[in-house]
Amino acid sequence: MKKILNLMLVALTLVGLAGCGAKDAALKAQIESGQRHCPMNMGMAGKLTSMSYDSDSHEVKFVLTLNKDFADVKDLSADPEIAKESMRLSLSQGDLKKLLDMMVDADAGLKVVYKNRGSKDDFTLQFTPEDLKQIAANPMSEEESGRLLLANQIKSEKKRMPYKIDTGLTVTGIEDNGSALVYICNVDEDEYDIEMMENSREELKDNMRNMLKDISMSGQVKLLSGLGRGFEYRYIGETSGKEIVITFSADELKKLAKK
């Protein structure tokens, strides 16, 4: 009887190992398929330049080349939580969500290596199998992902400031004040009459409304309205210091988002 029980235990163990092996093989095949499509666009962050899977260590490896306007290795080294949350966002949606589920099934870990374009500098994030299980069990909510996208957008914009949007108009700042995304624009008063701009406030707002209706701004409008944020543009006279503030409330953006 004992021999029969032992044989049954061995059989059950082999079935379990076969199941793990099948999931491991499926993950490896998926990674190899993904590698054939590299480099892949990862949005503002940059490009996924390679992906691989080590069956011995049960670890997937991503190599990402950063968009220099978004961040560099030093930024991530100084604030690794931002990198972790950004990767959590990526793993919570689309094809990478499916890949996350396969990594969890195969009890695999994940290593993400960030590189600067044209540089040997790199920064590595490590996710254990347990970390990935936690991400799979607690995917980023729509509000969380919206807040992270907005924070990343602000960070990216700050890196390229100041920049000119027209002769005499220079964007010098951006902030999220909790109720609106605020852009700050310096006005060269040798080029513009700040008092005339004040008197043309409604015309300025109409022009901006048309800009926000453009299909290229639909993602931005949807993001802000989803977070209950409005949009604000502050024109500040370089000489006088006079401010002209053009504001779209969250409700106004929601109406624009529906059109």
Side-chain angles (χ1 to χ4, degrees), residues 170-211:
T170 304
V171 178
T172 58
I174 184 173
E175 63 183 42
D176 173 12
N177 68 6
S179 60
L181 176 64
V182 182
Y183 276 88
I184 300 166
C185 184
N186 182 75
V187 180
D188 183 346
E189 293 180 77
D190 290 333
E191 297 284 345
Y192 292 90
D193 186 326
I194 201 77
E195 295 296 335
M196 189 176 291
M197 289 178 70
E198 171 68 38
N199 295 332
S200 305
R201 182 189 295 270
E202 286 306 312
E203 185 179 345
L204 281 172
K205 184 164 182 175
D206 284 341
N207 289 338
M208 290 183 67
R209 185 180 288 107
N210 289 331
M211 177 191 74

Side-chain angles (χ1 to χ4, degrees), residues 21 29 62 86 154 185 196 240:
F62 290 167
S86 294
I154 290 171
C185 184
M196 189 176 291
S240 66

